[in-house]
């Protein structure tokens, strides 16, 4: 029955002169997300409101699901838009709306009218009372409850009159493409896709780097990362993914350095390589899924030593989150099932039995000196042999 | 060069079988249950396939029940026999090295009130007849054994076991999982006292989704798939005619020139074992002589993880399995390798090479050449 959706957005509304930039981005993003849904949609901006209007047949559930993946949207209200043809006509429309949307009439309600167009002949209070009466008349089983109504019927007098009573939550955040670009270090684990999602939610465009170590990591492990990128892309848009062949770098570290330092040194090189691609792609920062104390390489000491090689800011949105909270988000964005597939990633291959948990920067740097001049060439080779692909949502 | 040495996971489908299947999918596509001519034509293909298969086993064509493959055959045999005979007893005997399509079914029956005795195996993966004799009781309704183990190629004494089962308790049914054995051994269910015998099509150059269960005449068995009553009610559902016909062709082909093929595979195996064992840290599990199956070699490599070796070989177009590819890609510890008492450190370092008659000595040499360079390289970076 709904032919339109009223899109609510929160934070954008408080922006100053740049507001139109954010709104335009949101309109653009909504249109893009709806391209994959069957049906014809028109997205338009009107006095601080965004409407999605449909033309002909469309799939309601798919439309809502698509809108729920557009960052910046706070609420999605399926709305009925009617021409202003006087109060009697409006009352009829509302009664018919209630009849269709609520087959069971045993509920309490409240009418909440607002006039964006102040020249309407009745005040908001008058509309509330009059429409409420009409509803009670038509459906005697219903009751008015002005404090805790089960159904809140919104009537907004705008150029067209808006009637709606449900608000489906959107993902929140800021419209994609309004905050620059960052490079995500993506592994096959639970955390990094969530980290990417969270930063993208603030409007940031995402690129990603994955470290592949054949034959120690399998083709399936790589496919798993591509699949994760696809899931994140459902929210974050197409992701440029760099697949770095890391085997020779890793083996060289393994050969030359004390084994308890392996993970830290490896992560420092991952940061360096990711930063290389980040610079190439004009990214403004790196993103990792690190969380304090989760594993040996994520103690504050380890993070400090890893961080030391980076020249750009490293965003760690999960830094203070517990594992269970991260899992909850992973489940919500549907990356969890993929993340727990049992393929080894390059971080777990050469883990020492007792990796250092409190590394000392001077010690690590000294340890790294054993890598010699060949290391530069190996890193260069890894960069040159990187496979870059664009991963789009399915 | 490419060397596909994972033929116990699956084989290339025979071109003749594939061509016939194409014809059945696009031209003779009738439903064998249809009354009209197209139905009759389709039915003829099934009869023809059953005849071809029956001939390879020296049994009657009506004793062949087509299924979707080895797993379904094993399920039908075990669940069907258990349900049909539970009034006579609830005791079942099997071995500790069965494929999951048997062992998981046994676990299911155990949860449902049956008692299952699991026979141990020796270091070569072979059961002892004495153990079997001790295990058989008056209430034993079923003995289920595999003929060739899928991971190490151990050959079980099923012929002797069959005789023993029938001597101890003539009412006990004897099921043989011959999924790795059909096409690699001459099998005569009647002589071997076998009541039920499972076969899979795609292990013998037939199509995936094909297989059959030999059900000896008058065997008490209940179906597990009920419906329209096809295949004498034993397996309802419209027959997969193309797959069945393809399986018939593959069955006929695999037993053509049989002795030569077996000799060829043994020669490949022996050469492979001799050369592989020269590589430091490499050892072969199971019997190395011709008491083992001709097509399976289980190889343990000290200090190298199976998955890593597999991927390193894959880079050189040599395809093998880690443990048993058939039991999905979960890196779980192999029950068979545990049962033969393989050292803990080698459980995760064992790969399976499996041949077919189409493999050449050149392919084996190529695989060996790759192993000689890859294994020492990987051993250098052993995880400590």
């Amino acid at each position: 029955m709904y032919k339109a959706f009223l899109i609510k957005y929160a934070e954008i509304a408080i922006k100053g002169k740049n507001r139109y930039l954010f709104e335009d981005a949101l309109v653009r993003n909504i249109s893009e997300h709806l391209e994959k849904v069957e049906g014809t949609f028109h997205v338009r901006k009107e006095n601080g409101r965004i409407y999605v209007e449909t033309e002909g047949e469309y799939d309601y559930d798919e439309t809502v699901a698509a809108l729920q993946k557009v960052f910046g949207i706070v609420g999605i209200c399926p709305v009925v838009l009617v021409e202003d043809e006087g109060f009697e006509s409006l009352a009829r429309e509302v009664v018919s709306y209630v009849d269709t949307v609520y087959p069971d009439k045993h509920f309490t309600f409240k009418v909440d009218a607002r006039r964006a167009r102040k020249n309407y002949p009745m005040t908001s209070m008058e509309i509330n009372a009059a429409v409420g009466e009409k509803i009670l008349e038509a459906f005697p089983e219903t009751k008015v409850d002005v404090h805790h109504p089960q159904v809140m019927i919104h009537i907004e007098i705008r150029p067209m009159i808006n009637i709606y009573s449900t608000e489906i939550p959107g993902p929140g955040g800021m419209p994609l493409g309004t905050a620059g670009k960052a490079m995500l270090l993506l592994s096959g684990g639970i955390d990094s896709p969530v980290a990417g999602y969270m930063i993208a939610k603030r409007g940031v465009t995402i690129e990603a780097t994955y470290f592949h170590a054949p034959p120690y990591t399998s083709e399936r492990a790589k496919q798993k990362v591509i699949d994760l990128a696809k899931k994140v892309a459902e929210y974050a848009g197409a992701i440029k993914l760099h697949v770095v062949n890391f085997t020779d770098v890793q083996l060289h570290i393994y050969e030359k350095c004390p084994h308890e330092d392996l993970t830290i040194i490896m992560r420092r090189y991952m940061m360096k390589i990711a930063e290389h691609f980040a610079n190439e792609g004009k990214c403004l920062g790196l993103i990792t899924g690190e969380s304090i104390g989760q594993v040996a390489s994520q103690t504050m000491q380890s993070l400090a030593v890893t961080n030391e090689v980076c020249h750009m800011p490293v965003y760690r949105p999960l830094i203070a989150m517990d594992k269970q909270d991260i899992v909850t988000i992973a489940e919500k964005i549907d990356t969890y099932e993929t993340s727990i597939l049992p393929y080894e990633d390059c971080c777990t291959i050469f883990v020492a039995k007792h990796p250092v948990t409190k590394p000392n920067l001077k010690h690590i740097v000294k340890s790294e000196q054993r890598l010699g001049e060949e290391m530069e060439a190996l890193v260069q080779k890894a960069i040159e042999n990187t496979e870059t692909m664009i991963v789009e949502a399915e | 060069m490419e060397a596909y040495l994972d033929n116990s996971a699956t084989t290339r489908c025979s071109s003749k079988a594939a061509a016939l299947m194409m014809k059945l999918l696009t031209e003779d596509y009738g439903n064998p249950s249809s009354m009209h001519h197209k139905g009759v034509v389709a039915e003829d293909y099934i009869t023809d396939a059953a005849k071809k298969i029956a001939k390879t086993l020296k049994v009657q064509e009506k004793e062949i029940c087509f299924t979707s493959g080895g797993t379904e055959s094993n399920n039908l045999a075990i669940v069907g026999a258990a349900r049909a005979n539970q009034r006579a007893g609830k005791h079942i005997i099997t071995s500790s090295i069965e494929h999951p399509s048997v062992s998981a079914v046994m676990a299911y029956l155990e949860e449902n009130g049956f008692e299952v005795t699991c026979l141990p195996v020796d270091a070569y993966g072979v059961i002892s007849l004495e153990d079997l004799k001790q295990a058989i009781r008056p209430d034993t309704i079923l003995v289920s054994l595999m003929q060739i183990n899928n991971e190490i190629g151990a050959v079980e004494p099923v012929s002797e076991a069959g005789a023993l089962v029938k001597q101890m308790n003539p009412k006990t049914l004897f099921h043989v999982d011959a999924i790795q054995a059909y096409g690699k051994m001459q099998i005569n269910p009647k002589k071997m006292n076998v009541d039920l015998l499972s076969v899979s099509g795609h292990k013998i150059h037939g199509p995936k989704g094909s297989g059959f269960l030999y059900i000896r005449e008058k065997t008490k068995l209940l179906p597990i798939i009920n419906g329209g009553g096809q295949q004498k009610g034993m397996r309802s559902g419209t027959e997969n005619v193309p797959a069945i016909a393809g399986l018939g062709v593959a069955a006929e082909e695999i037993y053509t020139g049989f002795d030569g093929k077996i000799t060829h595979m043994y020669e490949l195996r022996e050469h492979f074992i001799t050369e592989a064992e020269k590589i430091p840290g490499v050892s072969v599990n199971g019997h190395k002589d011709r008491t083992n199956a001709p097509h399976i070699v289980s190889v343990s490599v000290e200090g190298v993880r199976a998955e890593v070796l597999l991927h390193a070989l894959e880079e050189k177009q040599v395809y093998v399995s880690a443990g048993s590819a058939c039991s999905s890609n979960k890196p779980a510890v192999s029950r068979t390798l545990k049962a033969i008492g393989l050292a803990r450190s080698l459980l995760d370092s064992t790969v399976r090479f499996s041949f077919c008659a189409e493999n050449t000595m050149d392919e084996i040499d190529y695989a060996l050449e790759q192993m000689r360079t890859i294994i020492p390289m990987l051993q250098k970076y052993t995880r400590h």
Side-chain angles (χ1 to χ4, degrees):
Chain A
M1 73 162 271
Y2 293 110
K3 292 195 175 60
F5 297 88
L6 169 60
I7 302 301
K8 294 193 170 173
Y9 46 90
E11 279 179 62
I12 301 172
I14 59 172
K15 299 283 171 203
K17 279 188 183 157
N18 288 333
R19 179 168 161 169
Y20 76 96
L21 287 175
F22 289 88
E23 286 175 336
D24 289 350
L26 187 55
V27 167
R28 210 165 44 239
N29 294 343
I30 291 172
S31 303
E32 271 170 28
H33 273 81
L34 290 174
E35 268 169 29
K36 286 186 187 144
V37 182
E38 220 174 292
T40 310
F41 302 93
H42 303 288
V43 187
R44 67 181 168 86
K45 216 163 67 156
E46 180 197 295
N47 302 328
R49 280 287 163 95
I50 290 175
Y51 290 97
V52 173
E53 286 173 296
T54 64
E55 196 184 302
E57 294 288 309
Y58 75 105
D59 187 317
Y60 175 85
D61 293 332
E62 262 184 46
T63 307
V64 171
L67 291 172
Q68 279 186 303
K69 287 181 178 164
V70 183
F71 291 138
I73 294 181
V74 171
I76 303 152
C77 307
V79 67
V80 170
L81 299 177
V82 296
E83 294 283 353
D84 178 10
E85 287 166 351
F87 177 76
E88 284 308 318
S89 159
L90 169 62
R92 265 201 309 281
E93 291 286 355
V94 176
V95 166
S96 136
Y97 171 89
V98 169
D99 197 20
T100 322
V101 179
Y102 303 97
D104 177 6
K105 304 293 181 304
H106 294 88
F107 60 80
T108 60
F109 74 94
K110 175 183 174 183
V111 178
D112 178 37
R114 270 170 209 216
R115 298 179 311 162
R117 188 153 57 77
K118 301 290 182 197
N119 63 358
Y120 197 77
M122 296 163 81
T123 67
S124 298
M125 292 299 282
E126 285 166 354
I127 301 172
N128 289 347
V131 172
E133 222 164 276
K134 293 282 187 192
I135 294 174
L136 286 170
E137 239 170 63
F139 314 112
E141 314 94 292
T142 59
K143 269 189 204 139
V144 172
D145 181 344
V146 291
H147 300 295
H148 304 286
Q150 286 164 325
V151 175
M152 179 75 101
I153 299 161
H154 298 273
I155 298 171
E156 292 185 13
I157 313 290
R158 294 177 170 270
M160 294 277 275
I161 298 175
N162 296 202
I163 306 166
Y164 64 95
S165 59
T166 26
E167 181 171 332
I168 303 156
M174 300 294 285
L176 221 55
T178 56
K181 191 154 63 160
M183 175 65 72
L184 169 67
L185 280 86
L186 183 62
S187 73
I190 295 168
D191 302 341
S192 53
V194 173
Y197 162 84
M198 287 179 68
I199 296 294
K201 194 174 159 195
R202 297 308 300 168
V204 178
T205 306
I206 301 286
E207 273 194 35
T209 303
Y210 164 63
F211 294 89
H212 189 38
Y216 296 92
T217 58
S218 71
E219 211 178 305
R220 284 196 173 88
K222 177 176 147 191
Q223 187 55 48
K224 172 180 164 181
V225 170
I226 295 171
D227 290 344
L228 287 171
K230 275 184 194 164
K231 292 282 184 193
V232 177
E234 284 183 26
Y235 294 89
I239 293 173
K240 192 180 209 180
L241 173 66
H242 308 270
V243 179
V244 181
N245 186 327
F246 202 50
T247 313
D248 290 343
V249 171
Q250 229 176 336
L251 291 180
H252 189 65
I253 300 172
Y254 184 84
E255 218 170 334
K256 303 286 180 188
C257 304
H259 289 181
E260 63 272 17
D261 299 343
L262 288 182
T263 312
I264 292 291
I265 296 175
M266 192 183 80
R267 291 183 76 90
R268 282 163 61 92
Y269 276 95
M270 285 180 171
M271 290 292 208
K272 282 186 194 171
I273 293 172
E275 198 174 65
H276 167 86
F277 289 111
N279 278 318
E280 221 177 59
K282 300 197 166 51
C283 294
L284 300 171
L286 299 175
I287 308 166
T288 73
E290 290 157 318
S291 163
I292 294 174
Q294 200 185 83
V295 287
S297 62
Q298 296 179 23
T299 60
M300 288 188 70
Q301 291 85 349
S302 297
L303 290 171
V305 174
T306 311
N307 202 73
E308 193 263 345
V309 296
C310 305
H311 300 92
M312 40 174 84
V314 181
Y315 297 103
R316 300 179 171 91
L318 313 184
I319 199 71
M321 282 174 73
D322 293 346
K323 194 74 187 184
Q324 189 49 50
D325 300 330
I326 300 170
V327 167
T328 304
I329 300 178
E331 282 172 338
K332 190 181 100 181
I333 63 171
D334 197 27
T335 53
Y336 183 71
E337 294 276 310
T338 308
S339 287
I340 59 172
L341 290 174
Y343 308 121
E344 256 189 284
D345 68 46
C346 63
C347 295
T348 56
I349 299 167
F350 293 122
V351 186
K353 266 206 186 99
H354 301 289
V356 281
T357 53
K358 291 177 185 160
N360 168 287
L361 182 59
K362 270 189 199 151
H363 167 81
I364 295 291
V365 170
K366 217 175 132 196
S367 202
E368 267 178 9
Q369 278 162 2
R370 297 162 181 243
L371 294 168
E373 280 170 19
E374 315 147 65
M375 192 59 173
E376 217 26 67
L378 288 173
V379 168
Q380 208 45 48
K381 208 177 119 208
I383 288 171
E384 279 162 22
N385 289 339
T386 294
E387 179 192 358
T388 299
M389 56 183 91
I390 305 289
V391 180
E392 292 189 55
E394 268 180 357
Chain B
M1 190 167 201
E2 178 181 303
Y4 181 78
L5 304 178
D6 201 11
N7 289 282
S8 285
T10 196
T11 55
R12 191 183 66 83
C13 186
S14 131
S15 313
K16 201 178 149 196
L20 178 61
M21 289 174 71
M22 189 55 146
K23 181 167 184 259
L24 267 59
L25 286 164
T26 54
E27 290 172 35
D28 298 339
Y29 51 79
N31 184 329
S33 298
S34 291
M35 309 282 281
H36 51 67
H37 180 66
K38 278 204 182 297
V40 176
V41 170
E43 198 181 4
D44 285 347
Y45 280 109
I46 297 181
T47 314
D48 184 52
K51 269 188 191 148
K52 284 183 172 134
I53 290 164
K55 211 172 147 197
T56 64
L57 296 170
K58 301 187 175 60
V59 299
Q60 306 173 61
E61 88 192 46
K62 64 175 181 184
E63 293 174 309
I64 304 300
C65 175
F66 292 104
T67 66
S68 64
T71 294
E72 188 191 329
S73 295
N74 282 339
N75 272 263
L76 173 57
I78 298 166
V79 176
R83 283 184 53 227
N85 299 283
Q86 54 183 327
R87 268 192 223 151
K90 290 199 148 192
H91 182 234
I92 300 172
I93 299 169
T94 186
S95 87
S96 53
I97 56 159
E98 297 298 319
H99 186 271
S101 61
V102 168
S103 58
V105 180
M106 293 296 176
Y108 163 77
L109 289 176
E110 262 183 323
E111 279 168 27
N112 285 279
F114 288 84
E115 186 189 339
V116 178
T117 301
C118 226
L119 302 175
V121 293
D122 65 14
Y124 297 99
V126 180
I127 61 148
S128 123
L129 291 166
E130 189 50 37
D131 287 341
L132 174 61
K133 194 174 172 184
Q134 297 295 327
I136 301 173
R137 311 192 309 219
D139 65 336
T140 306
I141 52 169
L142 176 69
V143 173
S144 175
L145 293 174
M146 67 191 340
Q147 192 165 4
I148 290 179
N149 176 267
N150 56 308
E151 287 181 61
I152 58 173
V155 179
E156 303 301 326
V158 286
S159 201
E160 296 83 346
L164 185 63
V165 168
K166 295 298 171 182
Q167 177 203 329
M168 299 287 293
N169 185 348
K171 281 187 186 160
T172 306
L173 293 180
F174 185 37
H175 167 241
V176 169
D177 167 357
I179 292 161
Q180 291 295 343
Y182 186 78
K184 309 295 187 312
M185 301 179 83
Q186 292 289 3
I187 302 173
N188 187 328
K190 300 262 191 274
K191 278 195 184 155
M192 292 157 61
N193 292 295
V194 172
D195 301 294
L196 300 157
L197 185 117
S198 305
V199 170
S200 163
H202 74 105
K203 311 282 193 199
I204 59 157
H205 303 282
K208 288 163 189 68
S210 74
F212 67 86
L213 180 67
Y214 157 76
I215 307 170
R216 186 208 280 259
E217 207 180 355
K218 292 182 185 141
T219 298
K220 267 180 81 181
L221 196 72
L222 281 172
I224 53 174
I225 296 177
N226 299 288
Q230 287 88 342
Q231 302 201 59
K232 298 186 289 299
M234 200 45 76
R235 205 274 189 179
S236 285
T238 298
E239 294 89 338
N240 187 351
V241 187
I244 290 170
L247 170 59
V249 170
E252 190 173 52
E253 284 183 345
I254 198 108
Y255 277 103
T256 307
F258 180 77
D259 293 342
K261 287 179 188 165
I262 299 303
T263 309
H264 173 62
M265 282 191 277
Y266 269 126
E267 281 166 6
L268 297 180
R269 183 172 194 268
E270 282 152 10
H271 175 66
F272 180 82
I273 292 176
T274 311
E275 290 303 314
E277 285 197 322
K278 287 181 187 162
I279 304 169
V282 171
S283 56
V284 169
N285 305 305
H287 283 294
K288 293 169 199 170
D289 59 16
R290 298 196 178 187
T291 48
N292 206 84
H295 64 303
I296 295 176
V297 191
S298 167
V299 175
S300 294
V301 185
E302 262 171 49
V304 177
R305 286 191 39 253
E307 200 189 318
V308 174
L309 177 56
L310 180 153
H311 292 310
L313 285 170
E314 176 192 1
E315 285 182 350
K316 304 292 176 191
Q317 284 83 46
V318 176
Y319 301 100
V320 302
S321 276
S324 153
C326 218
S327 38
S328 87
N329 46 31
K330 256 181 235 153
V333 175
S334 149
R335 287 174 70 240
T336 302
L337 297 178
K338 259 183 156 173
I340 63 169
L342 191 68
R344 262 180 87 105
S345 60
L346 294 181
L347 284 177
D348 194 24
S349 297
T350 301
V351 291
R352 178 188 69 185
F353 294 78
S354 50
F355 314 133
C356 73
E358 288 175 5
N359 285 127
T360 63
M361 203 54 98
D362 280 352
E363 289 171 346
I364 302 298
D365 279 328
Y366 173 74
L368 284 162
E369 191 188 315
Q370 301 310 321
M371 288 165 71
R372 284 185 203 112
T373 42
I374 289 168
I375 291 174
M377 199 262 291
L378 294 178
Q379 280 168 334
K380 200 167 129 194
Y381 301 110
T382 300
R383 171 153 55 176
H384 296 291

